[in-house]
Amino acid sequence: MPEGPSLYILKEQAIRFKGKKILLAEGNAAIDMSLPVNKKIIDIRTWGKQLLLCLPELTIRIHMLMFGSYSIDEQTKPAKSTRLHLKFSNGDIYFYTCSVKLLKEDVNKLYDFTADVMGDEWNQPKAIKKLKAITGTNICDALLDQQIFSGVGNIIKNEILYRTKIHPYNPVGAIPVRKLNELAKQARIYSFEFLEWKKKFELKKHWLAHTKKTCQRCNLPIIKEYIGKTKRRTFFCNNCQVIYH
DNA sequence: TGCCATGTTAAACT
DNA sequence: GAGTTTAACATGGC
């Protein structure tokens, strides 16, 4: 469930608990379950792939990692064990196989919200500035850097590189600034498209590079390689995507 | 059926 | 101590 848009959907579904008091907290998460009880959710935010349930002077941070899931208002008790269950007067939310942490620091200090590609405070020039500081980093690693493009995951990485015709082999410094701007712009645009497709359960239908075998543009094969420091699955067209020198 | 993947952290190494 | 590599986590889809 993990890239930014999936968390955006979760936030939309959970927003009904904003302003509500936590009546019960239970589950196998390694946190002090007594701390959130009887506290009110004053805000529900996301920072990239993380959900932030803000209480007064305490934030519950949920990270779905690779296999996390959740449900709201579960009718029948699920077989899987509950990592965290929060009960409110107007319903329940359950989280499974995710990372749960309690943050005591101010989330505005912990997270740079201008890096969240789907956030209201997203600041593209700032992202470009950060890229210019890591010219030697491979672009496919840079896109996955949550401090620069919070919320971008491996699918979005592959799709926006294909869309902007930038070859994943490029180090950041080789790419013209005009193209970096185009890429950063697409990070946000594609994320919101991803969001709409995901809601309609037709996300995969729109993939042009990720898991694909053939390039829609030139009919040549799409290459699959494990690239960069992160060695993540990378799909690209050797013909359409440009290596800059 | 077994492999692999939308991700990150922390331990274990050089 | 730094930087880098590996293991761990754990579910569902193909």
Side-chain angles (χ1 to χ4, degrees):
Chain A
M1 92 135 296
E3 297 194 35
S6 303
L7 270 288
Y8 198 95
I9 292 170
L10 167 53
K11 178 173 67 177
E12 287 182 339
Q13 294 179 351
I15 205 76
R16 56 190 262 214
F17 301 123
K18 184 173 169 176
K20 297 289 173 185
K21 198 179 6 167
I22 296 172
L23 303 177
L24 170 79
E26 60 178 6
N28 60 13
I31 58 162
D32 183 345
M33 291 289 172
S34 69
L35 284 177
V37 177
N38 283 325
K39 293 198 176 122
K40 214 178 245 185
I41 303 232
I42 51 176
D43 204 1
I44 297 182
R45 311 175 70 177
T46 48
W47 184 75
K49 301 165 188 170
Q50 321 194 14
L51 179 73
L52 304 169
L53 303 170
C54 306
L55 318 173
E57 291 165 19
L58 187 71
T59 296
I60 306 173
R61 193 217 66 177
I62 312 273
H63 198 303
M64 294 297 177
L65 299 163
M66 199 82 105
F67 318 117
S69 63
Y70 65 94
S71 64
I72 292 173
D73 292 338
E74 194 82 23
Q75 294 301 315
T76 51
K77 215 176 152 93
K80 47 197 168 191
S81 62
T82 303
R83 179 73 29 92
L84 180 66
H85 164 207
L86 298 176
K87 188 172 189 58
F88 303 91
S89 63
N90 64 339
D92 297 83
I93 188 162
Y94 300 79
F95 297 98
Y96 312 98
T97 51
C98 55
S99 156
V100 180
K101 250 188 182 168
L102 295 181
L103 309 173
K104 301 215 165 121
E105 302 88 342
D106 178 1
V107 289
N108 287 304
K109 290 195 180 117
L110 284 177
Y111 302 111
D112 174 6
F113 283 89
T114 70
D116 186 342
V117 297
M118 301 189 78
D120 296 335
E121 296 168 54
W122 163 245
N123 186 323
Q124 189 178 316
K126 240 177 151 175
I128 299 299
K129 212 170 156 185
K130 290 176 191 167
L131 286 177
K132 284 178 178 169
I134 53 159
T135 51
T137 301
N138 192 296
I139 189 60
C140 63
D141 287 332
L143 277 173
L144 294 174
D145 186 334
Q146 299 299 295
Q147 300 305 321
I148 306 177
F149 298 104
S150 177
V152 169
N154 206 35
I155 298 172
I156 296 175
K157 173 198 85 177
N158 283 323
E159 290 297 316
I160 63 179
L161 283 173
Y162 180 81
R163 192 176 260 198
T164 56
K165 301 184 184 174
I166 298 169
H167 200 290
Y169 283 5
N170 285 294
V172 170
I175 304 169
V177 175
R178 173 182 57 83
K179 292 301 284 183
L180 288 179
N181 269 296
E182 200 183 320
L183 186 65
K185 193 174 181 178
Q186 284 299 329
R188 183 174 172 88
I189 290 171
Y190 188 84
S191 292
F192 280 101
E193 290 178 10
F194 185 126
L195 172 69
E196 293 309 315
W197 296 329
K198 177 106 187 161
K199 281 181 180 171
K200 290 191 265 180
F201 304 101
E202 56 177 43
L203 179 61
K204 287 184 188 179
K205 200 174 91 186
H206 296 274
W207 289 346
L208 296 177
H210 193 75
T211 71
K212 292 293 164 183
K213 296 266 189 278
T214 313
C215 175
Q216 301 291 301
R217 293 194 187 109
C218 70
N219 250 2
L220 289 172
I222 291 277
I223 317 280
K224 176 176 109 170
E225 278 181 24
Y226 293 81
I227 294 183
K229 199 178 62 193
T230 46
K231 292 203 167 59
R232 298 294 300 280
R233 235 180 8 154
T234 306
F235 296 88
F236 57 95
C237 173
N238 248 335
N239 182 47
C240 294
Q241 292 172 251
V242 180
I243 298 180
Y244 296 93
H245 296 284

